[in-house]
Amino acid sequence: MKKKRVLITGGSGFLGSHICERLLDEGNEVICVDNFFTGSKENILHLMDNPFFEIIRHDVTFPLYIEVDEIYNLACPASPIHYQFDPVQTTKTSVHGAINMLGLAKRIKAKIFQASTSEVYGDPEIHPQPESYWGNVNPIGIRSCYDEGKRCAETLFFDYNRQHNLRIKVGRIFNTYGPRMAMDDGRVVSNFVVQALRGEDITVYGKGDQTRSFCYVDDLVDGIIRLMEDTPDDFTGPMNLGNPDEFTILELAKTVLDLVNSKSKLVFRDLPSDDPMQRKPDISLAKKTTGWEPSIPLRDGLIKTVEYFDSYLKSQ
């Protein structure tokens, strides 16, 4: 295979670092672009000795001039704690960042992937969520900077495709977990695992009967790569990427407690504003188009995640 030069924005983040690693393993040259707001150099330290890997500290809200074959646009805080810290900047990252990366892709005629999100569906009235569903999103809530920013980014991607014949791939990513998650990002898996390992109370919002579908990171990366590499140029997506196995938050908490053998207690707090009650992807399109579906059960993935956080906490 011809070695490709691939740009990954948000490449030092949880998901971005795994994609960097996978593309390097496949023999490509990888350029990681990140401003390190939520990303971490620790996630990519093991890649730095690779002569085909390089890092550029850059904020995607400003233009970037570089020559590459493909672009993976993952730059944006993805957890409520981080994207609500500076909501205006979050919207700028999604919208201005998309404009700048699309402009770059147009100039150099590169294929470009957009990491969209299941949050474009909001608090869904259709279950599970197919790609044809337009969503039920609050445009003025505290999560809107992320939800609407990602929706606008999708709009820009499809307009560049229609207006400039740009080769785009849009993946709507559902809840993903695994090693290299930030332990302070407020996501439910990392919250529960870290609290259980520390023997702290497990914080459950609402009654814990809201559902999520958890996809292990290796499965998710495989789905993204297949969308980019195994679909024809005229296939744009959007394509749901996630695990269709659905669990309540309470089930997740009890599984983590069991795996850690923790004596932590469950503590219930008020449900945050606009927190969706259901989340489950319809992955029929992914199966039909690429043959992709997740293969790692939740319990197996959680074992690997617990091992990672246990090792990380001990090293600190």
Side-chain angles (χ1 to χ4, degrees):
M1 291 177 61
K2 178 178 177 287
K3 185 186 291 290
K4 291 178 294 190
R5 198 166 187 227
V6 185
L7 170 67
I8 303 174
T9 70
S12 75
F14 160 53
L15 183 54
S17 65
H18 283 277
I19 294 178
C20 286
E21 186 175 64
R22 169 72 176 269
L23 291 174
L24 283 169
D25 287 344
E26 292 183 352
N28 299 295
E29 183 176 349
V30 172
I31 301 166
C32 166
V33 169
D34 212 302
N35 67 353
F36 298 102
F37 172 58
T38 56
S40 169
K41 283 188 179 178
E42 290 182 350
N43 290 337
I44 51 175
L45 274 177
H46 64 296
L47 304 177
M48 290 186 179
D49 289 336
N50 190 318
F52 297 107
F53 179 72
E54 58 184 293
I55 304 169
I56 299 175
R57 183 184 287 269
H58 180 79
D59 187 329
V60 295
T61 61
F62 297 93
L64 179 65
Y65 300 99
I66 195 169
E67 307 298 321
V68 294
D69 301 305
E70 292 181 354
I71 301 169
Y72 288 75
N73 186 39
L74 285 85
C76 188
S79 71
I81 285 177
H82 290 141
Y83 67 63
Q84 291 171 13
F85 173 76
D86 188 344
V88 172
Q89 184 62 25
T90 296
T91 304
K92 285 182 177 180
T93 301
S94 286
V95 178
H96 291 187
I99 290 170
N100 288 329
M101 289 304 108
L102 286 163
L104 172 62
K106 177 190 170 189
R107 181 180 67 80
I108 61 179
K109 297 180 172 57
K111 181 164 58 173
I112 181 169
F113 168 82
Q114 167 64 8
S116 191
T117 170
S118 61
E119 296 299 324
V120 300
Y121 299 123
D123 191 3
E125 297 172 330
I126 294 177
H127 193 73
Q129 294 81 57
E131 292 87 351
S132 58
Y133 178 50
W134 290 357
N136 176 38
V137 179
N138 177 3
I140 57 171
I142 59 172
R143 300 169 68 103
S144 304
C145 58
Y146 184 70
D147 301 1
E148 295 288 35
K150 289 290 191 178
R151 285 164 68 94
C152 185
E154 283 198 17
T155 300
L156 286 161
F157 266 71
F158 279 89
D159 283 339
Y160 264 79
N161 171 256
R162 286 184 287 257
Q163 188 171 339
H164 303 295
N165 201 30
L166 192 66
R167 293 177 295 156
I168 67 166
K169 307 288 180 180
V170 176
R172 290 177 177 165
I173 298 170
F174 284 68
N175 289 61
T176 307
Y177 70 100
R180 298 185 211 145
M181 295 182 81
M183 64 182 204
D184 60 348
D185 68 358
R187 296 193 224 197
V188 65
V189 172
S190 52
N191 272 4
F192 286 179
V193 171
V194 171
Q195 288 171 337
L197 287 169
R198 287 175 168 168
E200 300 171 351
D201 291 339
I202 303 290
T203 308
V204 177
Y205 292 100
K207 297 178 181 178
D209 56 355
Q210 64 271 41
T211 67
R212 294 293 183 271
S213 301
F214 302 100
C215 187
Y216 189 67
V217 64
D218 289 354
D219 279 336
L220 196 281
V221 169
D222 185 51
I224 290 174
I225 301 295
R226 288 203 200 186
L227 172 56
M228 268 295 261
E229 305 302 333
D230 296 347
T231 57
D233 284 348
D234 61 356
F235 181 85
T236 59
M239 176 188 283
N240 286 338
L241 295 168
N243 195 318
D245 292 338
E246 189 177 14
F247 298 88
T248 67
I249 297 302
L250 209 50
E251 287 176 316
L252 174 68
K254 291 177 179 178
T255 302
V256 169
L257 287 172
D258 179 51
L259 290 175
V260 177
N261 194 24
S262 172
K263 292 183 169 55
S264 297
K265 296 179 181 178
L266 299 180
V267 176
F268 295 85
R269 298 282 186 262
D270 290 339
L271 198 65
S273 176
D274 296 329
D275 194 47
M277 288 303 296
Q278 290 181 306
R279 186 71 88 232
K280 176 181 177 178
D282 179 340
I283 62 168
S284 303
L285 180 62
K287 284 183 180 180
K288 177 182 176 182
T289 308
T290 68
W292 175 83
E293 61 180 317
S295 62
I296 301 173
L298 177 63
R299 192 175 183 88
D300 292 353
L302 284 175
I303 289 171
K304 297 179 182 180
T305 307
V306 167
E307 289 173 351
Y308 166 79
F309 277 113
D310 188 38
S311 175
Y312 183 83
L313 288 170
K314 286 175 180 175
S315 73
Q316 300 302 303

